[in-house]
Amino acid sequence: MEVPVGPGPRQAGGGLGATRSTSSGRAARTAEMPWARFSAWLECVCVVTFDLELGQALELVYPSDFRLTDKEKSSICYLAFPDSHSGCLGDTQFSFRMRQCGGQRSLWQVDDRSYNNKAPLALQREPAHYLGYVYFRQVKDSSVKRGYFQKSLVLVSRLPFVRLFQSLLSLIAPEYFEKLAPCLEAVCNEIDQWPAPVPGQTLNLPIMGVVIQVRIPSRVDKLESSPPKQCDQEVGNENLLPAPVVLTSVHELDLFRCFRPVLAHVQTLWELVLLGEPLVVLAPSPDVSSELVLALTSCLQPLKFCCDFRPYFTIHDSEFKELTTRTQAPPNVVLGVTNPFFIKTLQHWPHVLRIGEPKMSGDLPKQVKLKKPSRLKTLDTKPGLYTSYTAHLHRDKALLKRLLKGVQKKRPWDVQSALLRRHLLELTQSFIIPLEHYMASLMPLQKNITPWKSPPQICPFRQDDFLRSLEHAGPQLTCILKGDWLGLYRRFFKSPHFDGWYRQRHKEMAQKLEALHLEAICEANIEAWMKDKSEVEVVDLVLKLREKLVRAQGHQLPVKEVTLQRAQLYIDTVIGSLPKDLQAVLCPP
């Protein structure tokens, strides 16, 4: 069956709110391309319906120019509907993550570098996966053969702004289910007027007569247990108008609500996630599974979660065989599922978290118990954390008491979430700070960086040296928790998160080293150096300086503007000292 598509692309108009600044001619051209502003936020919008003959079917893709492969269309169709076991009546919101198949999809694909360089690592655009944000409606309808109206509206993006997109769906979807395609076209046209998401800026996003005000997190933000307060104006954004709907965060979930059934094991789960262990979350519905998986992957901040994760996964997924095979060790993935069939399929996985039906009362639900994996045999397995893993750190009983007291005193959930988020943030920071200190000691001293020699190398990371340093500079300086910290670090060294953290820090240090070397060259007396040098050596210097200048501008190295200007002046000075024929070669007209 052919998939009907929305109207074709149109020219993007001028944006509302902050004016979109462009740093190059290419960026300026991009701003004028069809759907350029829309694609800064979303890849496309899909509508999935239930067809009696075909099952789940893709009814609409908007904009029509966006190309999805057949495999991606199939995945979206299955992931946009809850499993039949979930029995979700009414409206349900959840999210999924699926692998991209193929390369660039549209002429208006945005350049990720500008955003990613300024965004926190955990909020960078997904390079190889799509994130789907779903609003599913299932209500009785006698006019339909099956007796039920079943339809999903899906926002497909590469930005992990779960809170923003869920809020957006709660505005758009009910209206769309009433008015259908014309409403969706109007909404997409409005999104195509939005300013781009620039880290550090507060933006006003008009949609369907409402203005949503959000602040896009920046890498330089001070880490807090709760996001910075919104303000109507910021420096450089004097024209922002007060917004009636203020989102305190574009991405943070209600951690306390997500972790309520597993509060007693939050620390064990934090360790499992830190070590990149394979973990299955079996929940009664996709909203519970997706929120818990996203909560687990967010509890490592400021560390970037470097493993795979699927907030909602079905047996129809194209990667089902790959992720459930018994011929090799389970992959490093946090998998959210709702079909009890997975208990049998994933019995060989080392950690399975089974969650029961959520209770809507204000009381704390019954906490799941730690159980041996051998007891995970039947489809009606009781809720519990099935694992043979023994936590390295002792449980923080004081935190549990504070949260329990908050429940008894009916403390607001956002305050409870802030307590939990602060605990996890401080725990992760206590673990990471010794690694950061040791890594900083591997950086060559600035006095050893000389202008006319290649910069010295960063010293190698020696695990034994680091472990010895913990005796006087370990996590005990900032964390009261006792336990086997050494054992936890040893296991961490084998995890994808250590590899991801080390690569990122090494890259940043190499860029800093390159910037310091460029500064050393610019502070040297270049004319004195040139006096006894041959033309070949001088030309070689010009080429190397140009290469460094291009890298400094392209990689956005931590170099001051005055240094870049001085480097360009040096290049001009050196070229001016050469014969005319060489000048013509180095500076063609």
Side-chain angles (χ1 to χ4, degrees):
M1 187 173 83
E2 283 294 312
V3 177
V5 289
R10 61 176 187 82
Q11 285 300 113
L16 297 174
T19 305
R20 190 175 186 172
S21 62
T22 54
S23 57
S24 67
R26 181 183 171 190
R29 286 195 302 275
T30 303
E32 298 305 314
M33 287 179 69
W35 298 108
R37 290 173 179 247
F38 176 91
S39 65
W41 296 90
L42 295 172
E43 301 297 305
C44 64
V45 179
C46 299
V47 177
V48 180
T49 191
F50 192 88
D51 185 284
L52 274 175
E53 294 176 6
L54 301 172
Q56 284 103 300
L58 199 57
E59 185 179 292
L60 182 75
V61 178
Y62 200 101
S64 59
D65 297 56
F66 192 79
R67 295 187 291 275
L68 290 165
T69 66
D70 289 342
K71 190 183 278 189
E72 287 167 345
K73 288 176 184 175
S74 175
S75 291
I76 289 172
C77 284
Y78 284 118
L79 290 167
F81 271 44
D83 262 321
S84 55
H85 303 83
S86 302
C88 297
L89 270 176
D91 292 354
T92 308
Q93 280 191 257
F94 57 95
S95 56
F96 62 81
R97 182 173 181 263
M98 57 179 255
R99 191 181 292 168
Q100 290 180 31
C101 308
Q104 185 167 314
R105 304 313 170 80
S106 60
L107 297 172
W108 59 84
Q109 189 138 355
V110 293
D111 185 350
D112 296 342
R113 283 175 298 181
S114 176
Y115 170 82
N116 284 349
N117 284 334
K118 296 174 184 174
L121 295 175
L123 295 182
Q124 290 180 332
R125 275 196 176 90
E126 286 274 5
H129 291 82
Y130 288 135
L131 297 162
Y133 303 95
V134 182
Y135 194 107
F136 169 72
R137 174 169 287 184
Q138 178 172 259
V139 290
K140 285 186 176 181
D141 186 346
S142 56
S143 66
V144 181
K145 264 189 183 181
R146 209 160 178 251
Y148 284 94
F149 171 92
Q150 292 174 304
K151 204 180 281 278
S152 282
L153 183 62
V154 186
L155 304 182
V156 180
S157 178
R158 291 188 298 122
L159 289 169
F161 294 170
V162 59
R163 185 104 166 261
L164 170 63
F165 291 130
Q166 282 184 347
S167 301
L168 199 57
L169 277 169
S170 64
L171 286 171
I172 300 168
E175 192 80 3
Y176 167 72
F177 291 138
E178 295 294 326
K179 298 177 182 175
L180 302 179
C183 163
L184 198 57
E185 183 182 354
V187 163
C188 290
N189 285 337
E190 278 194 282
I191 294 172
D192 196 36
Q193 302 289 314
W194 287 3
V198 178
Q201 282 193 9
T202 296
L203 305 174
N204 281 345
L205 309 175
I207 195 83
M208 296 178 65
V210 176
V211 179
I212 301 176
Q213 188 181 83
V214 296
R215 184 182 183 279
I216 309 300
S218 165
R219 198 175 294 191
V220 297
D221 290 345
K222 184 184 175 185
L223 284 166
E224 300 173 6
S225 57
S226 57
K229 287 184 179 178
Q230 302 290 83
C231 54
D232 292 340
Q233 290 190 341
E234 285 194 354
V235 177
N237 286 311
E238 294 83 5
N239 296 327
L240 287 181
L241 300 170
V245 178
V246 178
L247 277 189
T248 53
S249 169
V250 290
H251 68 288
E252 286 182 347
L253 294 165
D254 185 341
L255 272 194
F256 179 69
R257 181 166 57 82
C258 296
F259 282 138
R260 278 176 82 217
V262 294
L263 284 175
H265 308 297
V266 159
Q267 227 157 273
T268 300
L269 290 167
W270 174 83
E271 286 190 26
L272 292 176
V273 174
L274 178 74
L275 300 175
E277 287 286 312
L279 174 64
V280 183
V281 175
L282 176 56
S285 59
D287 53 323
V288 177
S289 96
S290 61
E291 286 209 329
L292 188 46
V293 169
L294 291 176
L296 286 167
T297 59
S298 73
C299 71
L300 292 187
Q301 290 183 5
L303 261 186
K304 182 179 181 178
F305 186 80
C306 296
C307 300
D308 196 357
F309 65 98
R310 304 303 167 93
Y312 174 53
F313 189 77
T314 75
I315 58 173
H316 304 288
D317 199 286
S318 59
E319 295 169 69
F320 175 75
K321 285 184 180 177
E322 181 186 328
L323 292 179
T324 58
T325 179
R326 289 173 180 259
T327 57
Q328 56 194 42
N332 303 101
V333 59
V334 181
L335 205 60
V337 300
T338 59
N339 191 334
F341 173 74
F342 278 102
I343 289 180
K344 212 168 186 179
T345 315
L346 302 176
Q347 260 185 24
H348 61 296
W349 278 45
H351 320 287
V352 176
L353 176 59
R354 174 94 199 238
I355 301 294
E357 289 288 343
K359 291 184 179 177
M360 301 312 292
S361 66
D363 297 333
L364 201 63
K366 188 178 179 182
Q367 296 293 289
V368 302
K369 293 180 179 177
L370 276 176
K371 299 183 180 183
K372 295 293 178 189
S374 57
R375 297 181 63 186
L376 192 68
K377 288 180 179 176
T378 58
L379 296 184
D380 59 348
T381 300
K382 291 181 179 178
L385 176 55
Y386 293 82
T387 178
S388 54
Y389 178 83
T390 303
H392 289 79
L393 305 181
H394 300 162
R395 188 186 297 176
D396 189 342
K397 293 179 181 176
L399 172 75
L400 284 172
K401 282 182 182 176
R402 287 182 73 189
L403 291 172
L404 198 57
K405 199 172 183 181
V407 171
Q408 291 164 352
K409 291 189 170 184
K410 294 186 167 41
R411 187 187 291 149
W413 280 17
D414 58 340
V415 179
Q416 295 277 76
S417 284
L419 278 173
L420 195 50
R421 187 171 284 110
R422 176 173 287 280
H423 169 76
L424 292 168
L425 175 63
E426 289 175 353
L427 187 57
T428 306
Q429 284 178 324
S430 293
F431 184 82
I432 290 298
I433 285 170
L435 285 161
E436 294 283 357
H437 284 168
Y438 176 74
M439 194 73 187
S441 73
L442 305 179
M443 183 77 168
L445 296 174
Q446 193 162 349
K447 66 180 183 181
N448 296 333
I449 300 170
T450 55
W452 315 121
K453 289 182 182 177
S454 295
Q457 296 292 305
I458 298 166
C459 299
F461 190 106
R462 301 188 192 281
Q463 294 179 12
D464 290 340
D465 289 350
F466 167 74
L467 293 173
R468 277 193 290 272
S469 75
L470 293 179
E471 193 175 336
H472 54 84
Q476 71 275 7
L477 298 178
T478 54
C479 186
I480 59 169
L481 291 183
K482 305 292 182 188
D484 182 13
W485 287 96
L486 279 175
L488 189 58
Y489 280 113
R490 284 195 181 98
R491 286 194 67 164
F492 178 69
F493 289 144
K494 300 172 187 173
S495 78
H497 290 120
F498 171 71
D499 185 60
W501 170 83
Y502 176 75
R503 284 173 186 269
Q504 178 65 29
R505 292 295 290 116
H506 194 277
K507 177 185 169 186
E508 289 168 1
M509 287 168 69
Q511 288 178 341
K512 178 67 176 172
L513 206 53
E514 199 171 346
L516 289 171
H517 189 230
L518 185 60
E519 284 175 13
I521 292 171
C522 291
E523 287 168 8
N525 187 336
I526 201 161
E527 289 171 344
W529 177 84
M530 285 193 303
K531 279 181 183 175
D532 58 346
K533 298 296 181 289
S534 66
E535 285 180 0
V536 172
E537 289 174 298
V538 173
V539 169
D540 187 54
L541 174 67
V542 170
L543 297 175
K544 283 182 177 174
L545 264 178
R546 273 185 175 166
E547 188 185 340
K548 281 188 177 292
L549 202 57
V550 168
R551 281 209 300 271
Q553 291 164 336
H555 295 169
Q556 298 189 346
L557 300 182
V559 179
K560 294 174 185 173
E561 187 63 34
V562 66
T563 304
L564 296 178
Q565 290 170 0
R566 193 177 291 175
Q568 187 59 57
L569 188 65
Y570 271 26
I571 291 169
D572 296 341
T573 303
V574 173
I575 291 174
S577 71
L578 293 168
K580 296 288 184 189
D581 57 336
L582 276 177
Q583 287 186 33
V585 172
L586 291 169
C587 296

